[in-house]
Amino acid sequence: MLMRSGRTEWDLLGRVQGAADLPMAGEGCLAVEKSIHSLGGQKLGWIACAPDEASRATAALLQAATKAKKIEIVPDLGEMALGLWEGLRYQELQERFCRAGKQFMVDPCGVLAPNGEAIEDYANRVRGALAWIAGRQKRGAAVAVVVRPIALGVSRCILNSAELSELWAMLNDRPDLEWYQVSKNDPRLASPPGRPRRSVTAA
């Protein structure tokens, strides 16, 4: 199960958050509780989550409701670093960085924020984390993956075999949680040629 972490104040204000670590806002907590309620008592084996505060808080709420045995913090699920763009409103991003800012909001491929991370490299990192999680699944045990929005969109691109150019389509007008069937040796999680998979550690 892929689940978006609770929204932060920057999310609600329309600011670019990137890898900046912010707590979940009260409104974000209410949305998480609504999503959890929609599970209807579904049990989870365990939960993997990004290392930021909002994702960890979301995972804790999910664990309490689903009786999941544990939460694993997976560093490579952390959100994409957007460098000097972090903290800007999305409208400011398009005004101040003109072509690059506008292009990022249409198709993030080939766009690199100042001091930020290329989405192609980021997707490889997320793919490696998902492969590590899939490798630890036990038959019949559902696993939840709690992440920030760009990580969610990238994960959906990977699991739907979609191009990264479809990132925003994978986020807009879609629910905060979705279910996927993923196997241990799922070809969707194989590293692209020439891009070694990063090792993933859990805490």
Side-chain angles (χ1 to χ4, degrees):
M1 184 184 82
L2 287 180
M3 182 174 184
R4 174 178 175 152
S5 62
R7 289 160 177 77
T8 68
E9 288 294 340
W10 278 14
D11 289 326
L12 299 174
L13 291 172
R15 293 187 182 277
V16 178
Q17 184 164 328
D21 194 352
L22 298 175
M24 182 165 53
E27 187 173 331
C29 184
L30 292 175
V32 167
E33 291 174 345
K34 183 177 180 180
S35 292
I36 292 174
H37 181 73
S38 72
L39 292 174
Q42 168 76 43
K43 302 297 183 183
L44 294 173
W46 60 287
I47 301 167
C49 77
D52 65 281
E53 187 173 349
S55 293
R56 288 186 282 112
T58 301
L61 291 173
L62 186 60
Q63 181 184 36
T66 62
K67 311 302 181 186
K69 294 181 179 179
K70 62 180 178 179
I71 297 172
E72 295 270 13
I73 298 172
V74 183
D76 277 353
L77 289 177
E79 190 72 318
M80 179 178 171
L82 291 173
L84 299 182
W85 289 358
E86 294 178 4
L88 294 177
R89 293 182 185 274
Y90 280 97
Q91 183 177 350
E92 292 177 314
L93 171 63
Q94 297 180 66
E95 291 173 351
R96 290 178 55 182
F97 292 88
C98 299
R99 186 165 177 261
K102 291 177 181 177
Q103 178 64 26
F104 182 77
M105 296 308 301
V106 174
D107 176 1
C109 294
V111 180
L112 182 62
N115 299 331
E117 185 175 11
I119 193 166
E120 294 83 1
D121 293 334
Y122 177 66
N124 192 50
R125 171 156 67 89
V126 171
R127 183 182 289 106
L130 294 177
W132 179 82
I133 293 165
R136 299 192 68 194
Q137 282 183 252
K138 294 183 179 179
R139 186 178 298 275
V143 178
V145 178
V146 179
V147 288
R148 296 279 303 139
I150 294 181
L152 177 65
V154 166
S155 297
R156 284 173 171 168
C157 286
I158 292 168
L159 296 178
N160 286 283
S161 300
E163 297 294 329
L164 292 173
S165 59
E166 298 182 44
L167 171 69
W168 303 116
M170 290 291 172
L171 285 174
N172 298 329
D173 301 319
R174 295 185 69 150
D176 284 353
L177 62 82
E178 288 183 333
W179 289 90
Y180 291 88
Q181 289 285 342
V182 183
S183 62
K184 181 178 180 180
N185 297 310
D186 199 307
R188 294 172 296 180
L189 303 182
S191 295
R195 290 178 180 268
R197 179 178 297 152
R198 287 185 53 177
S199 61
V200 183
T201 58

